[in-house]
Amino acid sequence: MREWMRSHRFMMARRLTQLGILGLFIAANSYGFMLLSGNLSASLVLKKLPLADPFALLQMFSAGALLGVDVLLGGALILLFYIVVGGRAFCSWVCPLNMVTDAANWTRRVFFLEKTIEKKLWLGRTVRYWVLALTLILSFITGVAAFEMVSPIGILSRGIIFGMGLSVAPILCIYLFDLFAVKNGWCGHICPLGGFYSLVGKLSLIRVKHDHTKCTLCMKCKEICPEKQVLGIISKRSGAIDSGECTNCGRCVEVCESDALSFGVRNYINTNVGEKE
């Protein structure tokens, strides 16, 4: 049991964070406990401090909307937070859809679907950036925040907070798409919000670090990682995983039995690597 908890410690922390945030939204909506009210697009802390999704604001700006100072402040706070902790930390630590796609990935592993399902659809990792650009273009043309209108992230979070209704249908579609069509298809290839935070993540300070001297080349990290292309330095050199596409989910750190992977601060990692070399 202790070993299982050690090898899943970040996953459990992520689930507690995701469910905790949703729980606070539900408590505000249903019981008037206003520590965190609103939803993932726009919220208030203690009915005072505004928080806002910077990608939603970018869409609104593209659509020609005039944004208030409080909304801009909320977007700046969130942007600054993810510049520090890692842009795609939102994807693995906050986004409720991550629980759905992780469940699909877990099902693939348990039932060996990776080996039994013939791969008929290929998607490049750059598709999300094209979807990101298309989202902003459509927002400009239509005058509305294009992705916010159809976002499964918003549909799921609002459904959990205010009641699911028919919103379960698109979520089920993403689960089945990830299960049978493309592994990590939505989060790893298509989602424009993930693309946006990948760009933000290029600046982030908190990074996974790799110690090549401890690595046993078991490659369990690459097997479990939802963005395995970011682990290019494994088996080659020590240093930080500096790709913005890393979600900082910690799964690679958990499965590494030789402790060759851990979290650190970007500049500190680079300085120490330089001294060792």
Side-chain angles (χ1 to χ4, degrees), residues 36-211:
L36 182 65
S37 57
N39 54 53
L40 291 177
S41 295
S43 57
L44 285 173
V45 177
L46 296 173
K47 298 195 292 185
K48 297 290 184 181
L49 182 66
L51 300 175
D53 174 8
F55 181 52
L57 299 189
L58 186 59
Q59 294 172 70
M60 294 168 65
F61 179 79
S62 299
L66 294 176
L67 304 176
V69 175
D70 57 338
V71 175
L72 291 173
L73 173 62
L77 290 173
I78 293 296
L79 191 62
L80 179 62
F81 175 78
Y82 284 116
I83 285 176
V84 173
V85 304
R88 293 205 62 201
F90 169 85
C91 304
S92 59
W93 288 83
V94 177
C95 180
L97 199 57
N98 171 255
M99 293 184 282
V100 176
T101 57
D102 271 4
N105 199 12
W106 177 84
T107 307
R108 288 177 71 101
R109 292 198 307 272
V110 169
F111 293 99
F112 303 102
L113 297 183
E114 191 73 19
K115 298 179 180 179
T116 59
I117 296 177
E118 182 181 355
K119 189 173 183 179
K120 297 182 178 179
L121 179 62
W122 180 87
L123 287 175
R125 297 282 181 174
T126 60
V127 170
R128 53 187 153 204
Y129 302 111
W130 290 104
V131 177
L132 168 60
L134 180 61
T135 297
L136 297 179
I137 292 171
L138 288 176
S139 297
F140 177 77
I141 294 173
T142 62
V144 297
F147 181 64
E148 297 306 302
M149 302 294 291
V150 296
S151 168
I153 302 165
I155 291 172
L156 178 59
S157 61
R158 288 191 294 271
I160 293 173
I161 297 168
F162 304 110
M164 289 298 291
L166 297 177
S167 61
V168 69
I171 309 307
L172 179 60
C173 288
I174 287 178
Y175 174 80
L176 294 175
F177 177 74
D178 272 31
L179 183 60
F180 294 114
V182 180
K183 182 180 180 180
N184 300 311
W186 172 258
C187 297
H189 297 78
I190 298 174
C191 180
L193 184 56
F196 172 80
Y197 277 121
S198 292
L199 298 177
V200 173
K202 291 179 180 294
L203 306 172
S204 64
L205 297 179
I206 305 300
R207 299 285 186 178
V208 173
K209 63 177 181 179
H210 175 241
D211 186 343

